[in-house]
Every structure is written in C-alpha cells, then in structure tokens.
Amino acid sequence: KGLQWLLEAFAKAAHAVPAALLVLLGDGAQRPKLEALAQRLSLRPNHIRFAGRVPVSEVPLWLRASDIFALVSPSEGFSCALAEAMAAGLPSVVSAIPANSQLIDQEVHGVPVPAGDVPAIADAFVRLLRDAPLRLRMGQAARRRVLENFSTPRIVSRYETLFHEVLKDPNPPAPQQGG
C-alpha cells in the first residue's frame, strides 16, 4: 500500500504544517515496522495516530473527521476505500496509477502523484493542508463524481442494462420510480 512512502512524505509535510495529523486505520503485520519508522522519522503522537482496526460502521465517522484522504500504493484494483473517501467529500492524494485515475481527475477531485515519489506526496499534502478552499472544492467534486457514477441506483441500473443485453430481452422493464 505504499505506507512507507506515506509516512516519509507525511513527516516532511508535518515540518511545513505542524498542526497536521496522520491517522492510520487498520491493523496488520506491518504495524510494528511502521511504528518504528514513525519513531525514526520523529513523528510524535501529535503528528501520527495508529488507530488500529475499527468497526466498519465507524469508518464514515473517521472520514468525516478528516481533511484529506491518501492512497499512495503502487498498484490497486478499484479502491472501495477511495470511493468511500470521495463519497465523504474528501480530496485525495493518490498514486497516479490506472485504478486511481478512473476515479480521480488531476486538480478536480484530488492530486495524483507518481507512485513512490515522496517529495511529490509531501508537496501535495502541504498544498492541500494549507488551502482549505481548494480542499472544499475538490472534496465536493469528488462526492459528486461518486454519487453520479457509483451510487447504488446507478450501479443497479447498469447491472439491469447488462442483464437485459445478455439475455437479449426485447422488452426490458420500464425504470421504477423512486419510493
């Protein structure tokens, strides 16, 4: 997931924006190594928090408490975590890989950066942390994109169309009215 790059970049960003706080949700075998790296990078508890595993129902609360979402991994499929962050209205710093590019347009929904480019990741953090109107504009655009393209009604409609095409039903049902 590029977490070493994330911590290294955030350490640089925290020097420029001392009030910045990085929160990592989730747990796993890498946690001790990441905690040691955070120590080596002089990231103090006021700059980084390893929240560990949280119930799925609490993830939206963490997202709403955030200003930026980051996904800097070198490879991904369609990222549900990124889509959830966008739905919460967050701008994102993402690695410029095909899977992220299908969701994030540069300077519209977030800031794509080359995978592994720690200075570029840090610069993107600093820029977004220092510019609240930019964060708001990108976050609103991100939310619109997810709702327009990946909301449940939109996905259901796409599946229905696909099934009708596959089954070659000459008389597809009329769209249902909301209720």
Side-chain angles (χ1 to χ4, degrees):
K1 295 289 182 184
L3 295 175
Q4 179 176 338
W5 302 329
L6 177 66
L7 267 62
E8 291 171 359
F10 188 79
K12 292 177 182 298
H15 287 293
V17 184
L21 171 66
L22 176 64
V23 177
L24 297 173
L25 298 183
D27 220 344
Q30 285 189 334
R31 183 173 175 162
K33 289 180 183 178
L34 294 172
E35 288 174 334
L37 176 60
Q39 250 184 338
R40 283 194 309 276
L41 294 169
S42 299
L43 286 170
R44 298 185 181 8
N46 62 319
H47 284 131
I48 190 165
R49 178 168 178 201
F50 290 87
R53 181 167 288 152
V54 299
V56 172
S57 62
E58 291 181 14
V59 171
L61 302 173
W62 286 96
L63 291 172
R64 282 195 296 266
S66 302
D67 293 317
I68 300 168
F69 180 79
L71 182 64
V72 296
S73 57
S75 65
E76 286 287 330
F78 182 89
S79 173
C80 291
L82 178 56
E84 289 171 0
M86 292 173 72
L90 292 177
S92 299
V93 174
V94 298
S95 50
I97 58 174
N100 293 340
S101 297
Q102 69 180 323
L103 290 171
I104 302 289
D105 289 336
Q106 185 167 352
E107 300 301 316
V108 177
H109 313 101
V111 182
V113 295
D117 188 338
V118 170
I121 298 166
D123 289 346
F125 282 144
V126 170
R127 184 166 162 241
L128 288 173
L129 288 167
R130 287 183 172 165
D131 193 341
L134 178 63
R135 285 194 316 267
L136 180 63
R137 180 175 51 80
M138 286 182 175
Q140 289 172 339
R143 180 168 169 73
R144 266 192 315 276
R145 170 164 270 181
V146 167
L147 292 177
E148 290 170 0
N149 293 289
F150 302 102
S151 65
T152 301
R154 177 69 68 171
I155 298 300
V156 167
S157 174
R158 286 180 182 160
Y159 272 113
E160 287 177 341
T161 299
L162 174 66
F163 293 152
H164 289 295
E165 288 175 10
V166 169
L167 296 173
K168 304 228 188 274
D169 184 348
N171 301 309
Q176 293 182 355
Q177 298 298 319

